[in-house]
Every structure is written in structure tokens, then in C-alpha cells.
Amino acid sequence: MLLELTVMRGSAFMMTKVAVNHLPPLTVDAGRLVSGAVTLVGLSLILMRRLPHGGRSWLFFFSIAAVVNTAAFLLVSWGQRCIDSGLAGIQMARMPLFTLILAPFCLLDERVTSMRVASFAVGFCGVVVLIGAGFLMYPGEHVNQPVPMLAVLLGAACYAVATLQEAGAMRRTDESPLSWTGPERRSES
């Protein structure tokens, strides 16, 4: 499962880089969103599940969509027009650091511990070693791209904010997170 996740997440940067070389970032993001929505609605219909109900749930969904599906996707796609997918991967690997920094402010029971900081440092070093060998060998090539690099970094921050929004919401509800992605509630017929 870890290998599948790695392939899917890692190839997303490569695919985005290829796509933004031929299409505007907004078109790329719209395609990602439409294909995801069609997949989830189709899956819901096949499994005979219904969508969550209640204005509060949908307000939450729209806030997540604004942060991740609009801001983060667009920032990352726009930034990848000018930087390599490996560098985008390194920038996005900072998302756990943003989460680590913001968590104590957003989730009052979360604490930054030395084990969490050490875990992040080891993981980030692994990402740099795996993805960033070329960047580390030729860092001067990317110095003239600070704005696209910052855009991808801000995209990573948006993902961190959304992660904390979701974690906070999960703590306040009895609903399964599955009902938020491919609705799990059975149709009452």
C-alpha cells in the first residue's frame, strides 16, 4: 500500500508538470476536480450511498474546497510551469512542517514534541535524498525562480491548513471521514 501511495503521489507532480506545459494551470486543475467528482459520484451511485446532509457539513466541504481544491491546486500547478517536478516535490514535502508548526494553534490538544520534530526531519531528509539529488547538485539553476517556488510552498501551506481543518472537524463529529469523500451512508429505501 505504501508503494502504491508513493507512486500515486510522486507521479502527480510529474503528470502536473507535463500537463501545465500544454494547458493553463486553471484548466489542469479543473480537469483534476471534474475527474475526481465524477469518480466519487459514480462510486456513490454504484455503492448506493447518499451524500451527507445538513448545511454545516456542506459549509465545511466548501471551506476545504476553497483551501485545497482551489488555492493549493492552482498554486502548485502555476508554480510547476517554471520549476521541475522534483523541486515541487521537495517544496510540497514541507507540508508536514507547516502542519507541525500550525497544529498547536489550531488543535489545542496537539503538542510539538521532540519525537515529532525528529520524525519530520528524518522524513524530509529522505525526500530530499530521493527527489532532490539534481536540485542539490545544481542549485543555481533554480535561484532565478523564487516566485514559482514560493507559489508551490504556499500550496503546501494550504494543504497543511486543510489537514488541520479536517482533523478538527473529525474530532467534533461522529460521522466517518469516508462519508466526506465517497459517501458511506447507506441509502434508506
Side-chain angles (χ1 to χ4, degrees), residues 19 36 57 71 75 93 101 156 170:
S57 291
L75 285 165
I101 292 167
M170 285 179 11

Side-chain angles (χ1 to χ4, degrees), residues 18-169:
V18 170
V20 296
N21 283 337
H22 302 288
L23 298 167
L26 194 56
T27 304
V28 172
D29 293 338
R32 289 177 71 179
L33 295 175
V34 168
S35 65
V38 167
T39 301
L40 289 176
V41 168
L43 187 59
S44 295
L45 292 172
I46 291 168
L47 297 175
M48 297 175 55
R49 312 271 170 126
R50 61 186 176 106
L51 295 172
H53 59 281
R56 191 170 177 190
S57 291
W58 287 100
L59 180 63
F60 171 73
F61 297 146
F62 283 115
S63 71
I64 292 291
V67 174
V68 175
N69 301 118
T70 304
F73 281 10
L74 192 56
L75 285 165
V76 172
S77 296
W78 183 85
Q80 278 197 263
R81 292 178 318 128
C82 302
I83 64 173
D84 295 334
S85 59
L87 181 55
I90 291 172
Q91 295 293 79
M92 288 301 294
R94 294 181 182 171
M95 180 268 210
L97 178 60
F98 290 129
T99 306
L100 186 71
I101 292 167
L102 294 173
F105 301 105
C106 299
L107 306 171
L108 299 178
D109 59 338
E110 288 291 321
R111 302 283 180 251
V112 177
T113 64
S114 57
M115 180 60 81
R116 288 181 178 178
V117 172
S119 297
F120 167 79
V122 169
F124 185 74
C125 288
V127 169
V128 170
V129 168
L130 292 174
I131 297 177
F135 176 72
L136 295 174
M137 292 171 58
Y138 309 105
E141 291 180 16
H142 303 288
V143 173
N144 62 349
Q145 303 296 338
V147 175
M149 287 174 55
L150 182 60
V152 175
L153 195 60
L154 286 172
C158 288
Y159 279 112
V161 168
T163 298
L164 293 169
Q165 281 180 301
E166 292 166 4

